[in-house]
Amino acid sequence: MTAVNLLDFDLDGLADFCAQLGEKRFRAVQLMRWIHQRGEADFERMSDLAKSLRGKLAGVAEVRALPVISEQRSADGTVKWLFDVGAGNAVEAVFIPEDDRGTLCVSSQAGCAVGCRFCSTGHQGFSRNLTTGEILAQLWFAEHSLRRAGAGRGGPDPRVITNVVMMGMGEPLQNYAALLPALRVMLDDHAYGLSRRRLTVSTSGVVPMMDRLRDELPVALAVSLHAPDDALRDQLVPINRKYPLAELLAACQRYLERAPRDFITFEYCMLDGVNDTPAHARALLALVSAQGPVGRVPCKFNLIPFNPFPKSGLRRSSAERVQAFAQILIDGGVVTTLRKTRGDDIDAACGQLAGEVQDRTRVHERLVRMPLPAAARSRPDAIGGGHEGG
C-alpha cells in the first residue's frame, strides 16, 4: 500500500486523516507544526506525539519531499531549484532575497497550457497538474533548507520566506483543486503563517476561477495583462480569446470586493515594438479609467523586462522606452513599478522558468500556427533572439 503524503493535506484534511486513525484534532495541529514549522519528516523525532500514534503513522503515512535535481545560485543571491516530479517532468522554484523580505516563486503545473507567446514555460507545453503536496513541497524544502544554511533574518521569527508568489511554472487557477489546500497551509498559523497580503496568485485571466478564489480564499491577485486591447492580447495571451478584456476587468472589480489589497496588480511584459509604444501606454490608461469598458479598475502596473529565449521571436524593450512608457502611466495617475530583473544569470528571471516537460499538447504545432505580433514579424532581427541580456 502506498503511504499517504501528509504534505497533501491542509489542517482540516489532516484532522480527517487523524480521525481515521482514531486520533483527535489536536494531533493534526501537532503534526502540522512539526512538518511545516519545524521541517521534520521523521515521525520518531516528533517527541510530543504519543508513541502509539507514531507507530500508526509509520505504517501508513510519510512526508514526501520532491527529489532535488539541481540547485543554482545567482550572483545577486537568487536561488533556483529544479525538482523531479516524475515521468520525465521537472519543475522550478526560485527564492529571491531582499533586505526586508524573502520571496519564493512556486510552480503549480508541469508546463503550462495557456501558451503565452513571451513565456518560456508556455513554449515547453503542458504535461500535468501538480498535487497539493508537490506545490507545498517546494515551500517546505526551500524554507527549511535555507534555514539550515543560515539564511534566517535573526530575531524571534525564524522564517526565511516571508512572501510566496504563485508565479512559477503553470497557470495556478487551472489547477484550482490542488491550489486551494496549498494556499490554506501557507496561511495557517500552525504552518507558515503568511498573511493574505503576502501570498499572491498570478493568473492569465481564468475568469470563473477568479470568482471562486474571491469567494473561497481571496489572497493578493496579480493579472498577466500584457496588452491594452483584445486584438493584441489574443496573440500574446491566447486565453483572452475565451475571456476577453471586458470580462477579465469585470472579474477584477468583483475580486476587489473581498481582496486583502485595494488594488489589482497588472503584470505587463515589455516587448520591443509589440506593446511598448506611447499609444499602448495611453490605451492602458483608458482601459482602466472610469471611461473604460467596465469603469475604473483600481490597480497598479508592474512593468517587466522581457527575458529572451530561443524561438520566442521577441525582443526586450530598451530601458529608455520602458521609462517613457512608465512615465505616461505615472502621469496618468496610476502607480507603476519597474520589476528589477533577478537571477537572469541562472535563467531564474520572470518568464525564463522552463524545467523539463513531457508535453501532451503539441505546443510546437500550435505556436507555428499562431502568428507573431505584427511589429515583431516585420523585424527579421527579432527572430530567435537567444538569451540576450540573460
Side-chain angles (χ1 to χ4, degrees):
M1 183 181 71
T2 302
V4 173
N5 183 11
L6 298 188
L7 293 178
D8 274 321
F9 295 134
D10 60 13
L11 183 56
D12 286 342
L14 201 52
D16 290 342
F17 178 73
C18 286
Q20 294 172 22
L21 300 179
E23 301 289 341
K24 294 183 179 179
R25 185 180 177 89
F26 80 91
R27 293 301 189 191
V29 172
Q30 289 177 310
L31 274 169
M32 180 78 77
R33 290 173 176 168
W34 274 108
I35 294 167
H36 294 289
Q37 288 187 351
R38 303 190 190 187
E40 186 56 71
D42 184 348
F43 300 129
E44 285 303 312
R45 293 178 179 272
M46 300 180 183
S47 55
D48 60 355
L49 294 186
K51 187 174 182 179
S52 59
L53 174 56
R54 281 180 269 164
K56 292 177 188 176
L57 290 170
V60 298
E62 65 179 337
V63 179
R64 191 181 309 140
L66 290 175
V68 179
I69 297 172
S70 66
E71 175 180 306
Q72 294 176 275
R73 292 182 177 266
S74 168
D76 64 20
T78 298
V79 186
K80 181 175 77 170
W81 296 278
L82 182 66
F83 295 102
D84 186 355
V85 294
N89 294 303
V91 300
E92 294 178 331
V94 177
F95 174 66
I96 306 163
E98 298 176 78
D99 291 341
D100 60 343
R101 71 186 68 184
T103 301
L104 186 70
C105 181
V106 173
S107 293
S108 57
Q109 297 176 311
C112 183
V114 175
C116 295
R117 189 88 216 190
F118 47 84
C119 179
S120 182
T121 303
H123 281 245
Q124 292 288 96
F126 174 77
S127 180
R128 68 171 178 87
N129 288 326
L130 300 186
T131 65
T132 297
E134 289 168 336
I135 294 171
L136 283 172
Q138 299 167 65
L139 173 56
W140 183 83
F141 176 86
E143 173 65 36
H144 297 291
S145 67
L146 288 168
R147 276 193 213 177
R148 288 191 295 271
R153 293 169 294 135
D157 185 354
R159 289 180 303 175
V160 179
I161 295 165
T162 62
N163 296 61
V164 171
V165 292
M166 297 301 305
M167 295 183 183
M169 296 170 63
E171 163 55 67
L173 295 187
Q174 288 185 337
N175 188 16
Y176 190 82
L179 173 71
L180 198 64
L183 297 180
R184 290 195 181 111
V185 173
M186 294 176 193
L187 295 169
D188 198 306
D189 286 340
H190 299 301
Y192 301 96
L194 301 178
S195 75
R196 294 191 187 205
R197 293 170 61 89
R198 290 179 175 267
L199 177 54
T200 301
V201 169
S202 176
T203 180
S204 57
V206 187
V207 167
M209 308 318 291
M210 291 170 63
D211 287 333
R212 280 193 64 181
L213 188 65
R214 164 195 178 272
D215 292 339
E216 297 184 47
L217 198 66
V219 295
L221 186 70
V223 173
S224 296
L225 191 62
H226 309 301
D229 60 71
D230 283 322
L232 180 55
R233 196 165 190 267
D234 283 353
Q235 297 180 65
L236 295 177
V237 188
I239 201 171
N240 193 73
R241 299 165 194 166
K242 188 171 185 178
Y243 306 113
L245 281 170
E247 292 183 31
L248 175 59
L249 295 176
C252 290
Q253 287 181 324
R254 293 191 296 272
Y255 197 90
L256 283 170
E257 295 169 2
R258 299 184 183 177
R261 297 175 181 263
D262 57 2
F263 60 87
I264 298 289
T265 298
F266 286 127
E267 309 281 1
Y268 198 92
C269 185
M270 299 292 294
L271 304 171
D272 183 30
V274 174
N275 66 352
D276 64 348
T277 69
H280 288 121
R282 290 190 292 269
L284 275 180
L285 288 173
L287 184 70
V288 300
S289 73
Q291 290 72 45
V294 299
R296 180 175 175 269
V297 180
C299 64
K300 83 168 190 178
F301 284 105
N302 187 14
L303 305 184
I304 305 169
F306 173 60
N307 292 297
F309 55 91
K311 299 183 181 179
S312 69
L314 300 166
R315 293 175 68 91
R316 178 184 292 187
S317 300
S318 68
E320 295 77 15
R321 180 162 278 198
V322 173
Q323 289 288 348
F325 193 97
Q327 196 60 52
I328 292 171
L329 297 177
I330 293 168
D331 291 345
V334 179
V335 174
T336 302
T337 57
L338 306 180
R339 180 177 292 178
K340 182 180 178 182
T341 297
R342 298 289 300 272
D344 57 347
D345 57 331
I346 56 171
D347 287 348
C350 183
Q352 289 185 311
L353 300 191
E356 298 172 9
V357 179
Q358 301 303 309
D359 178 41
R360 299 190 294 107
T361 64
R362 297 188 294 183
V363 64
H364 296 295
E365 294 179 24
R366 289 187 286 109
L367 286 172
V368 167
R369 292 196 299 269
M370 186 189 303
L372 278 171
R377 192 169 61 241
S378 66
R379 295 183 49 190
D381 63 333
I383 304 301
H387 279 68
E388 177 184 319

